[in-house]
Amino acid sequence: MSQENVEIVRRAHEVFNRGGFGPENAYRIAAELLHPEVEWHDQRELPGATVHHGIDEVMRHLASAEESVHYDAADLLEILDAGAYVVAVYRIHARGRSSGVPVERDSVHVYSFRDAKIERVEIFGSRIEGLEAVGLRE
């Protein structure tokens, strides 16, 4: 089951990088990858961080983020099978929509699964935090 979960995360990454969460495909792709009761936990340190429940709320959140920031392709730096979890380390490339200022930062996502779909996403600012969230150490 763990390798299947790793492949689900790889697929989600590929879809994101191809712009697959655009308006024309968003709900079809989301239904393929996300469990209907998905929880998306924003990185705690960021202003306005909250938890988004369900596919509709997650999709609204992602669309809202795109209003102020244009996301370019993200680099998948590392992906770890952590049993019931998958930990993915990304380098996010973006730029402000109005300012054009480029932003580059690392982001660590911890995924958990139900019924072969992503049920929970927790976002952390460092690899150490992500590993600790699943009971692992550097």
Side-chain angles (χ1 to χ4, degrees), residues 1 3 6 14 21 31 66 68-69 82 92-93 103 109 112 122 126 132 136:
M1 184 65 115
Q3 187 57 40
V6 167
E14 290 168 7
F21 285 111
E66 276 281 340
S68 59
V69 177
I92 307 296
H93 304 278
V103 176
H109 296 200
S112 59
E122 286 188 87
S126 75
E132 287 177 351
L136 299 176

Side-chain angles (χ1 to χ4, degrees), residues 52-72:
H52 310 278
H53 300 273
I55 292 174
D56 288 342
E57 199 171 307
V58 168
M59 297 309 294
R60 279 193 298 275
H61 169 62
L62 295 175
S64 175
E66 276 281 340
E67 289 176 8
S68 59
V69 177
H70 172 75
Y71 290 93
D72 296 319

Side-chain angles (χ1 to χ4, degrees), residues 26-40:
Y27 283 91
R28 180 182 60 77
I29 297 294
E32 175 188 325
L33 297 170
L34 303 177
H35 189 276
E37 297 173 16
V38 63
E39 287 185 5
W40 184 285

